[in-house]
Amino acid sequence: MRYMRRTALIIAAAFWARDARAQISVSGSPAQMTVNKAAAAGSAPLAVTNSTTTYTINKPSGASSYSITAHINIAMPAGVTLGMTLAAGSTGSSSGEVLLNTSAQTVMTGIKQKITGATITYTLSATVAAGVVPVQTRVVTLTAITVP
Amino acid sequence: MKTSSFLTIGALVAFAAVNTASAQTATQTVTFQVTAINQIAVSGSPSLVINAAAAGSAPTSVTASGNTWSVTTNHSTASITASIASAMPAGLTLSANLSAPAGATSTGLTALGVTAVNVVTGITKLNSAALGLTYQLDATAAAGVVSSSTRVVTYTITGGV
């Protein structure tokens, strides 16, 4: 009987631990973004944005909250920047637009409730000094971190 | 048996602690590109009238300043050419003088014809607005009286790499 009680406690602890694990997912990858014009002759090239993808993160358990960091696998070409903005949804605080690089940067903090289908906005900007940049890809990694 | 149960509990609690501290990731692939950008614009619609001369001299040339041009290019060593759609009347010459943006070279006052000619060269990866643009109209006495006429001047950014 004592052994069964202990077993039940162990199973409960295991489930609690599983619930506490940050689970983040995205709806897919954005379509190709292309900088191809200036707003007017004499102006810098016009940035382009994509807000078609979303992210979902589960609710933290207990008193903990989640933060989200983002980084890319390879640095952007000189003169080209990739910005990311995560919409806060009903909880958390967005860092606003963060220019991505190979070091993880915080894009969202204080997530205490589940966020479902909140918008991810990417902004691609280029200076004229960047020149012509052929098609390239970058893998953006979003990491959900539990904050005790 | 009792010792074994405590060890099992200890191991699972440790597992739970590891899980609590863990993070999960999601990835997206972002595809991007910057294509060639070559844009030029001009402002102003100049009007030039030759109506005087010093006695004994050729008709006095006139200029129209206050016009501007702007350029954006992400190419190197681009040039600006200019041309007019139809030739000027005999004895009349229409010229343009474009101020060069930083690092580029203006050809100075350049007569315009139906064949495109360089007016600025060596434009490299820049955006620059409201650069000076001046027109000049010259006439010889042989041109006689020429009724009001217009010419469309076409500027083209070309040749960059």
Side-chain angles (χ1 to χ4, degrees):
Chain A
M1 186 62 179
R2 185 180 295 171
Y3 179 77
M4 287 178 66
R5 197 176 301 149
R6 281 179 187 162
T7 303
L9 282 171
I10 290 166
I11 292 169
F15 272 104
W16 172 83
R18 191 176 177 191
D19 282 346
R21 189 173 186 182
Q23 293 181 348
I24 185 170
S25 61
V26 293
S27 62
S29 293
Q32 178 176 318
M33 294 189 286
T34 301
V35 173
N36 58 10
K37 63 182 177 182
S43 301
L46 201 60
V48 294
T49 62
N50 182 299
S51 300
T52 61
T53 62
T54 62
Y55 73 97
T56 293
I57 186 167
N58 66 320
K59 179 184 176 182
S61 69
S64 65
S65 64
Y66 290 151
S67 292
I68 302 174
T69 65
H71 70 276
I72 51 179
N73 59 331
I74 302 169
M76 294 296 286
V80 182
T81 58
L82 180 63
M84 168 184 252
T85 305
L86 265 60
S90 58
T91 181
S93 176
S94 172
S95 302
E97 185 181 50
V98 173
L99 300 182
L100 300 177
N101 56 44
T102 55
S103 299
Q105 300 179 85
T106 301
V107 291
M108 179 78 81
T109 58
I111 300 168
K112 294 184 176 179
Q113 299 292 328
K114 181 175 182 177
I115 297 175
T116 303
T119 301
I120 301 172
T121 299
Y122 286 102
T123 302
L124 180 70
S125 304
T127 65
V128 289
V132 175
V133 178
V135 175
Q136 298 184 28
T137 61
R138 293 292 183 276
V139 176
V140 179
T141 301
L142 292 170
T143 302
I145 299 170
T146 303
V147 180
Chain B
M1 180 64 178
K2 187 178 285 184
T3 303
S4 173
S5 294
F6 278 123
L7 284 175
T8 304
I9 292 168
L12 284 171
V13 168
F15 172 74
V18 168
N19 256 357
T20 302
S22 72
Q24 193 196 4
T25 62
T27 62
Q28 291 185 301
T29 300
V30 175
T31 305
F32 63 92
Q33 176 183 23
V34 181
T35 63
I37 299 172
N38 292 295
Q39 292 177 227
I40 183 172
V42 294
S43 69
S45 297
S47 180
L48 300 135
V49 178
I50 292 176
N51 55 11
S57 300
T60 303
S61 298
V62 293
T63 60
S65 56
N67 310 284
T68 63
W69 73 285
S70 302
V71 62
T72 296
T73 181
N74 61 356
H75 275 176
S76 299
T77 63
S79 298
I80 305 295
T81 65
S83 64
I84 51 178
S86 57
M88 294 295 287
L92 284 182
T93 303
L94 177 64
S95 303
N97 186 358
L98 280 69
S99 298
T105 302
S106 171
T107 58
L109 191 64
T110 303
L112 303 178
V114 293
T115 302
V117 291
N118 283 336
V119 287
V120 179
T121 60
I123 302 171
T124 295
K125 293 181 178 177
L126 58 78
N127 54 282
S128 189
L131 298 161
L133 169 57
T134 301
Y135 291 95
Q136 180 170 310
L137 183 65
D138 301 297
T140 65
V145 174
V146 179
S147 59
S148 181
S149 182
T150 61
R151 292 293 182 276
V152 174
V153 182
T154 299
Y155 295 94
T156 304
I157 183 166
T158 183
V161 292

